[in-house]
Amino acid sequence: MSSALPFTLKGKTLIVTGASSGIGRQCAISCALMGASIAVFGRDEGRLNDTLQSMDDPEKHMSCAIDLLEYDMVGDAVREVVRQKGRIDGLINCAGISTTLPLNSITTQRIEHFLRTNVIASMNITRHAVKSAHFSLTGGSVIFISSVMGVAGENGKTLYSLTKGALVAAVKSMAIELAPRKIRVNAISPGVVESPMSRSAVYSRDAASLNKIQSLHPLGLGKVDDVANACIFLLSDASAWITGINLIVDGGYLAK
Ligand SMILES: NC(=O)c1ccc[n+]([C@@H]2O[C@H](COP(=O)([O-])OP(=O)(O)OC[C@H]3O[C@@H](n4cnc5c(N)ncnc54)[C@H](OP(=O)(O)O)[C@@H]3O)[C@@H](O)[C@H]2O)c1
């Protein structure tokens, strides 16, 4: 059945991780504007509350302050969303960390920390969210925020790339496994987006480095809305026949 408003998120309940900052915060705000009810997940309760206060009707949404590395707590948090809001229609896995490090500084401890945060934590909440007792019986959409660094290389990006590439790879098998339940699974790979993460990156520390990174993006650096709008598309019925893809949102970074 085709919808008159295929891009609307009205009536959908979504979990957004990383919603206390940057891209995740904008995803939560933009999806709320499109009609969804949002459960915002992040560690910092005060900044999660700021996200809720940026929405038209904060009472319609809920907040969950949680460290996603506390794997055993995540199931309870997802069950609480289901208890308060009913079934889940979508999930944006946006929480993540980044770094620029030469190979000789990549210790096994650092590899573990990055894998735990960027890969295992996302897989863990996804596994809880898509349980048939939790997720909408008519299907829905799961998004993993990867990065162009998941498919391309730069100096010092090995550690970050290996975590983001893992998400792009995993999305395809998840998409196949969950297709019978009409749950679509996709990645979004942004180029450099202006956010607290990119503002604290090494390429933002001096004008020459910043100019260089800008010049690699033919349309200039991205805005958090650019990624949020792509999420709206992949969460909405407008993308009902799209699963297992990696949507590149990079201002032309990979076009070269
Ligand atoms: N900005 C870019 O240029 C860019 C480009 C490509 C991809 N990305 C990806 O986009 C995502 C968001 O990036 P951003 O720029 O918005 O970064 P950000 O402003 O630094 O936000 C990161 C978010 O992740 C949350 N987070 C980190 N570790 C967590 C943990 N253990 N448990 C729960 N939440 C955790 C943070 O929560 P608290 O603040 O509450 O601790 C925060 O909400 C990341 O996955 C990043 O890799 C960013």
Side-chain angles (χ1 to χ4, degrees), residues 58-116:
E59 302 301 311
K60 183 179 167 189
H61 312 284
M62 63 177 281
S63 167
C64 181
I66 187 170
D67 184 340
L68 294 171
L69 296 182
E70 302 280 349
Y71 302 142
D72 295 342
M73 313 282 285
V74 172
D76 286 343
V78 170
R79 274 186 289 279
E80 183 57 19
V81 175
V82 174
R83 193 186 70 73
Q84 287 193 35
K85 300 286 173 191
R87 287 177 182 274
I88 297 162
D89 302 285
L91 163 65
I92 306 178
N93 283 298
C94 192
I97 52 174
S98 172
T99 189
T100 306
L101 276 180
L103 266 179
N104 64 11
S105 299
I106 301 178
T107 59
T108 52
Q109 287 90 337
R110 282 189 168 132
I111 298 173
E112 276 184 14
H113 182 61
F114 271 76
L115 282 172
R116 280 164 58 78

Side-chain angles (χ1 to χ4, degrees), residues 122-251:
S122 306
M123 288 307 306
N124 186 40
I125 190 168
T126 299
R127 148 186 108 79
H128 283 290
V130 301
K131 282 184 178 167
S132 35
H134 298 159
F135 211 83
S136 163
L137 298 175
T138 55
S141 171
V142 177
I143 298 171
F144 289 80
I145 303 298
S146 177
S147 163
V148 289
M149 289 298 110
V151 292
E154 290 280 1
N155 253 336
K157 285 295 177 190
T158 302
L159 181 51
Y160 186 59
S161 290
L162 79 86
T163 65
K164 292 300 185 178
L167 299 178
V168 173
V171 151
K172 295 176 190 169
S173 292
M174 278 186 276
I176 292 166
E177 189 171 330
L178 294 172
R181 292 172 55 205
K182 298 276 185 269
I183 301 176
R184 301 179 293 104
V185 187
N186 295 291
I188 291 177
S189 285
V192 173
V193 171
E194 289 170 2
S195 79
M197 178 183 281
S198 58
R199 280 191 283 277
S200 65
V202 285
Y203 49 74
S204 295
R205 287 192 195 146
D206 62 84
S209 308
L210 191 57
N211 282 343
K212 184 171 172 231
I213 206 82
Q214 281 168 341
S215 71
L216 295 173
H217 294 75
L219 294 178
L221 298 187
K223 307 267 184 252
V224 288
D225 305 78
D226 295 321
V227 182
N229 289 338
C231 285
I232 289 170
F233 171 60
L234 285 179
L235 288 163
S236 73
D237 295 347
S239 59
W241 207 43
I242 297 177
T243 196
I245 68 156
N246 178 24
L247 180 60
I248 307 289
V249 181
D250 70 347

Side-chain angles (χ1 to χ4, degrees), residues 1-18:
M1 191 177 66
S2 68
S3 159
L5 288 171
F7 293 90
T8 184
L9 299 180
K10 199 166 173 208
K12 296 188 194 290
T13 294
L14 311 176
I15 293 177
V16 181
T17 74

Side-chain angles (χ1 to χ4, degrees), residues 16 18-22 24-29 32 38 40 44-56 58 61:
V16 181
S20 50
S21 179
R25 169 177 282 168
Q26 189 58 50
C27 287
I29 294 169
I38 318 287
V40 293
D44 189 303
E45 202 167 359
R47 282 191 281 106
L48 282 176
N49 197 39
D50 293 344
T51 303
L52 289 186
Q53 295 311 317
S54 308
M55 296 170 173
D56 280 346
H61 312 284

